[in-house]
Amino acid sequence: MNAHDSERLAGILASVGFAPAEEMGQADLILFNTCCVRDNAEKKLFGNVGKLKQKKRQNKKLLVGVCGCMMQQADVAEKLADTFPFVNIIFGTHNMAALPEMLYAAIFLGERTLAVSDQEDLPDETPALRAKPPLSAVNIMQGCDNFCSYCIVPYVRGRERSRSSEEILREVRGLAKAGYQEVMLLGQNVNSYGKGLAENIDFAGLLERVAEETGMKRIRFMTSHPKDASQRMLDVMARHENICRQLHLPVQSGSSRILRLMNRRYTREDYLELIRRVRETLPGMTLSTDIIVGFPGETEEDYQDTLSLVREVRFDAAYTFVYSIRRGTRAAAMEGQIDEKEKQRRIVGLVDLQGQITYESNLAHVGRRELVLVEDESRRDAGHVCGRTDGGKMVNFPGEPSLIGQFMPVEITQAKKTTLYGRRIDGDTQA
Ligand code: SF4
């Protein structure tokens, strides 16, 4: 979501005459787009902004701005403004559209802006300066009404607001025409899509229309809340080949007691039943998840429940986190905060377990033929390109940059912990 916000910020800047600098030393404007979901980002931001003090002394015309959801927390925005008087522009997620006015005030009037609004929202069709094809992202909704007890998102991104289906379809059609082969439909909880709109549509309905009416070759989406992931959505996925066989379903904990404290509104059993339905409807689906360890009050037994769920589901991948206090959330005030050392022990155990399962899941691909959409040159292996399978597995194989943007049939020859390796199957279009 933040990466796509950065594309929209770049789009706003391009519309008023800015262009990307080759490197930071050449920039007239340095803008930090922040995220506050985890607390170490805050420390990093203050360190990185502090480093610019010297640059500002040397170049009086240099503009420095900080935006994003971390600035949506008024106390953090004020602390940043007090600590670094040289920062010209500070604004929250709801003030993005006013960036040209803030730049005008900074450049022509020498004025500093601190704008953190609860109300003003981003117009839906803000121009985005996108990365080159083949991958694109489109916001279908903003905000979240779920208030999971550990999460700051509903406070900084506001209530759920969906874009109209016509606007979304127009944007995806335009991307397909411009040569983008894959789109990621984005929302904090995509399954809530459509609530509050005048038209009668839900996420399954939108997904079906995007699959049928836009010409987009591959469609992915994130994030789905397990409590709202409907059978209708799974059926739509099963009916359309251009919707990728990949689902991210954050479980967060394998203990029903902790899930209740997290306000997730499903139990361990509900989640396992959902996974059973997913696998029944869409065999071979790639499944990934998010898991938090060390939530307040998490006992050894709760932690073992998480490990046993991971063993039972065998996710292809998991994003694992140590619980960190986010000020203003309900969990921040809960008793039974877990000691940092203990949290570290738990995360290490979880990462080891999931790492082994991911490796085994990758190994099972060796010998298979996959259709890979080539995204880029490999950063690790010279003379290789990389891209993803329909299920979202990253594959490296020997190839020239001219393949970027093409679908290539590839035979998987080797599996590593996070990546697959393969070879091109020339002349074969059936993967
Ligand atoms: S559903 Fe996701 S974004 Fe919304 S409160 Fe829960 S964790 Fe945060």
Side-chain angles (χ1 to χ4, degrees):
M1 183 69 81
N2 263 44
H4 184 48
D5 280 354
S6 293
E7 289 186 337
R8 297 204 285 173
L9 287 161
I12 295 171
L13 290 171
S15 73
V16 292
F18 282 77
E22 291 290 319
E23 52 180 69
M24 200 163 73
Q26 297 170 355
D28 300 311
L29 164 69
I30 298 171
L31 185 59
F32 291 88
N33 184 22
T34 64
C35 172
C36 62
V37 170
R38 277 172 282 156
D39 73 345
N40 64 352
E42 199 172 305
K43 289 175 203 137
K44 272 196 202 162
L45 173 76
F46 276 71
N48 284 327
V49 175
K51 282 186 202 151
L52 293 182
K53 196 172 173 185
Q54 188 63 17
K55 272 194 189 311
K56 279 283 281 193
R57 267 204 206 116
Q58 291 159 351
N59 176 6
K60 296 272 181 273
K61 284 190 176 164
L62 174 66
L63 295 175
V64 176
V66 185
C67 61
C69 59
M70 198 186 290
M71 295 304 105
Q72 194 60 37
Q73 302 165 279
D75 58 332
V76 183
E78 276 158 26
K79 183 174 152 199
L80 188 101
D82 290 347
T83 315
F84 304 115
F86 62 82
V87 175
N88 306 85
I89 300 167
I90 298 171
F91 58 100
T93 43
H94 304 319
N95 301 80
M96 219 192 266
L99 178 56
E101 284 93 324
M102 296 185 236
L103 287 168
Y104 182 90
I107 297 168
F108 297 109
L109 309 175
E111 285 175 7
R112 192 179 193 214
T113 306
L114 196 165
V116 180
S117 159
D118 285 337
Q119 276 153 33
E120 199 178 334
D121 209 347
L122 187 66
D124 291 326
E125 302 242 26
T126 313
L129 189 65
R130 296 174 184 276
K132 284 194 192 130
L135 307 186
S136 61
V138 167
N139 268 347
I140 63 166
M141 62 171 305
Q142 287 269 14
C144 183
D145 289 351
N146 283 317
F147 290 92
C148 301
S149 61
Y150 53 82
C151 181
I152 198 154
V153 166
Y155 303 94
V156 292
R157 291 272 182 184
R159 298 292 80 73
E160 287 171 0
R161 298 154 330 263
S162 296
R163 295 175 67 190
S164 80
S165 60
E166 284 311 321
E167 252 180 50
I168 295 167
L169 291 168
R170 195 173 339 126
E171 190 172 342
V172 180
R173 259 184 230 122
L175 290 167
K177 266 203 192 123
Y180 290 88
Q181 317 260 27
E182 183 175 311
V183 69
M184 174 75 81
L185 304 178
L186 288 174
Q188 261 83 27
N189 177 14
V190 291
N191 305 105
S192 291
Y193 175 79
K195 281 186 199 158
L197 283 179
E199 55 184 318
N200 184 15
I201 190 162
D202 63 2
F203 180 61
L206 177 76
L207 193 58
E208 183 133 58
R209 290 194 67 189
V210 174
E212 289 176 358
E213 298 175 29
T214 62
M216 188 55 78
K217 301 239 173 64
R218 272 187 178 176
I219 300 155
R220 302 186 199 272
F221 55 88
M222 77 187 316
T223 295
S224 289
H225 194 301
K227 79 176 165 52
D228 300 319
S230 67
Q231 184 61 39
R232 244 168 70 70
M233 176 189 84
L234 299 177
D235 292 339
V236 167
M237 292 178 81
R239 279 201 293 276
H240 295 281
E241 289 234 318
N242 57 345
I243 305 176
C244 293
R245 300 298 189 254
Q246 179 186 23
L247 196 53
H248 184 67
L249 277 175
V251 65
Q252 308 299 9
S253 170
S255 154
S256 294
R257 192 181 75 82
I258 294 296
L259 288 169
R260 200 175 58 249
L261 290 173
M262 287 177 164
N263 193 31
R264 293 291 288 174
R265 288 178 267 175
Y266 54 84
T267 62
R268 172 191 176 96
E269 290 69 32
D270 297 334
Y271 187 86
L272 290 173
E273 169 57 18
L274 174 61
I275 296 295
R276 192 195 60 72
R277 280 196 289 118
V278 169
R279 292 205 159 126
E280 187 180 271
T281 315
L282 292 143
M285 173 82 102
T286 300
L287 276 173
S288 57
T289 198
D290 296 334
I291 302 172
I292 298 171
V293 295
F295 185 81
E298 184 188 71
T299 62
E300 180 62 24
E301 198 183 336
D302 297 318
Y303 170 62
Q304 290 300 330
D305 281 347
T306 295
L307 297 185
S308 78
L309 182 133
V310 167
R311 276 189 214 102
E312 191 167 338
V313 177
R314 296 187 62 79
F315 297 103
D316 295 277
Y319 301 90
T320 51
F321 306 95
V322 165
Y323 168 77
S324 64
I325 292 181
R326 306 312 293 128
R327 277 189 315 278
T329 60
R330 276 204 285 141
M334 283 181 187
E335 286 178 5
Q337 300 286 336
I338 308 287
D339 169 74
E340 285 306 319
K341 235 172 142 186
E342 178 56 20
K343 285 187 201 169
Q344 284 308 320
R345 183 189 70 82
R346 292 182 191 179
I347 194 84
V348 167
L350 176 62
V351 167
D352 282 353
L353 172 63
Q354 182 57 47
Q356 183 58 30
I357 294 172
T358 299
Y359 177 56
E360 286 165 14
S361 143
N362 284 349
L363 266 185
H365 283 69
V366 175
R368 283 193 206 166
R369 291 172 168 216
E370 299 275 2
L371 200 54
V372 173
L373 174 57
V374 183
E375 294 172 14
D376 209 345
E377 290 178 69
S378 165
R379 269 188 243 154
R380 281 196 208 150
D381 306 283
H384 282 58
V385 287
C386 60
R388 284 178 200 276
T389 64
D390 182 89
K393 294 263 184 190
M394 184 55 89
V395 183
N396 272 6
F397 63 97
E400 324 70 62
S402 60
L403 296 179
I404 293 170
Q406 293 187 41
F407 284 97
M408 295 304 305
V410 171
E411 183 185 333
I412 307 302
T413 53
Q414 194 193 356
K416 289 198 178 168
K417 277 200 159 171
T418 53
T419 312
L420 299 172
Y421 286 80
R423 66 172 184 85
R424 229 167 107 174
I425 313 169
D426 283 310
D428 186 351
T429 53
Q430 301 292 309

